[in-house]
Amino acid sequence: MIDRPELGAYLRARREALQPSDVGLPPGQRRRTAGLRREEVAALCHMSADYYARLERGTGPQPSEQMVAAIAQGLHLSRAERDHVFRLAGHRPPESGAGSDHVGPGMMRIFDRLVDTPAEVVTELGETLLQTPLAAALFGDASQRHGPSRSIGWRWFTEPGARDLFPPEDRDTTARLYVSSLREVATRRGAGSRAAQLADELLQRSDEFRALWDRHEVLQRSDEFRALWDRHEVGLVPGSVKRYDHPEVGRIELHCQVLLDPEQAHVLLVYTAIPGTESHDRLRLLSVVAA
């Protein structure tokens, strides 16, 4: 059963403990209350300010599991704090670790400061959990994707337009990397895992995936990324340089920096262009187009 008074009190306490700088917001005008405003938290949680205010007052309806997860993410809760909110809302907490969509507060604090940079948080299956606006302009809005299509590997083998962003000469290697990465994750997580289920579905859906899967490849990676892989056991690790053919600004060459969260099996990918290069100018143009 939902405990409305305790849920409201806890949400209020967590909101008042956060400062704008904690979530990547400007300080703004002089504040009369401690912490964030309700409307700021509501925006971070992708819900109406009225709905969030009713939850804090203890007069709102029982929030769904999806809504509780959004609140936990918006308030930058730890896993223990997230589980506490789920229980107060009358729900069983989701499983932690691999397969969880909850991004840890430490990674969230870094992500919040990358507003003018293409950056995204992805799972070991290549599912985008968070995007900066510039990443959405570059790769497409991940919030519009649901189910298996959240995974770039799934889209690569099932959606014809998924490869358009990649130069033709890079597509064969990219396809092999996706298959090799999924094989490693599925082997590590075991039968019945989400990775194994995704592989089984792709084997049924795509002749190309099936042919690559039958090759049993484990692709060689650079020493730097292989060391990260071995130390943190994270599945999808891209190369250090990526090339994209954007339909509006043309080809962009970006360097991909990786931050790993081994507990959640999440990866923060930050894409940068070398100053003074054509790619740097095109990335700046894309930011204008996106705005």
Side-chain angles (χ1 to χ4, degrees):
M1 296 291 292
I2 180 174
D3 189 338
R4 285 182 174 84
E6 281 298 318
L7 176 62
Y10 188 74
L11 294 181
R12 183 168 58 255
R14 296 307 308 152
R15 173 176 61 81
E16 293 177 349
L18 286 174
Q19 298 302 314
S21 59
D22 295 331
V23 296
L25 294 176
Q29 300 297 322
R30 184 175 180 179
R31 293 171 179 263
R32 292 180 296 178
T33 59
L36 298 180
R37 301 185 179 98
R38 287 193 180 95
E39 57 269 24
E40 291 172 330
V41 172
L44 291 171
C45 300
H46 306 288
M47 63 184 63
S48 72
D50 178 69
Y51 182 90
Y52 179 79
R54 291 169 64 195
L55 289 178
E56 275 203 8
R57 290 196 298 264
T59 60
Q62 181 182 27
S64 66
E65 293 183 13
Q66 292 79 7
M67 195 67 77
V68 176
I71 292 171
Q73 201 69 82
L75 288 173
H76 289 36
L77 301 184
S78 67
R79 284 190 299 169
E81 293 167 337
R82 177 205 64 178
D83 292 351
H84 182 61
V85 170
F86 265 87
R87 296 187 182 98
L88 290 177
H91 298 296
R92 183 190 300 273
E95 293 185 7
S96 299
S100 172
D101 286 353
H102 182 73
V103 181
M107 186 168 284
M108 283 292 300
R109 286 192 291 272
I110 298 172
F111 178 83
D112 286 336
R113 286 156 175 78
L114 300 172
V115 291
D116 60 348
T117 303
E120 53 186 0
V121 178
V122 302
T123 71
E124 62 185 2
L125 299 182
E127 303 160 317
T128 300
L129 302 179
L130 295 172
Q131 283 180 305
T132 61
L134 196 48
L138 178 60
F139 302 116
D141 187 356
S143 67
Q144 303 302 313
R145 300 166 185 147
H146 305 282
S149 67
R150 295 171 62 205
S151 168
I152 177 58
W154 173 272
R155 297 194 303 276
W156 184 272
F157 292 103
T158 61
E159 299 180 11
R163 308 182 184 201
D164 293 347
L165 193 63
F166 296 77
E169 60 270 26
D170 294 347
R171 294 175 187 174
D172 178 67
T173 300
T174 302
R176 293 167 60 199
L177 175 61
Y178 286 146
V179 176
S180 175
S181 297
L182 182 56
R183 177 182 294 280
E184 289 179 298
V185 178
T187 300
R188 184 167 64 252
R189 300 304 179 195
S193 65
R194 292 177 59 212
Q197 293 171 6
L198 186 65
D200 289 341
E201 293 177 10
L202 283 171
L203 286 169
Q204 299 175 32
R205 291 282 298 271
S206 170
D207 293 337
E208 180 188 6
F209 179 87
R210 187 162 52 251
L212 291 173
W213 187 264
D214 289 342
R215 291 166 66 169
H216 295 271
E217 284 188 319
V218 178
L219 296 183
Q220 183 77 8
R221 294 175 177 81
S222 69
D223 292 340
E224 174 189 0
F225 286 108
R226 190 166 58 251
L228 290 172
W229 180 295
D230 292 341
R231 187 165 63 251
H232 294 284
E233 293 189 339
V234 173
L236 181 64
V237 179
S240 58
V241 178
K242 308 290 285 185
R243 301 191 301 170
Y244 302 102
D245 288 335
H246 194 274
E248 295 183 81
V249 299
R251 178 162 295 186
I252 306 178
E253 184 174 287
L254 301 174
H255 290 253
C256 181
Q257 306 300 320
V258 181
L259 177 67
L260 310 174
D261 183 344
E263 289 188 359
Q264 297 292 90
H266 293 163
V267 185
L268 173 61
L269 306 176
V270 182
Y271 301 90
T272 61
I274 298 176
T277 63
E278 192 172 27
S279 292
H280 187 265
D281 293 338
R282 290 178 175 177
L283 192 60
R284 293 178 62 186
L285 176 60
L286 181 60
S287 67
V288 175
V289 172

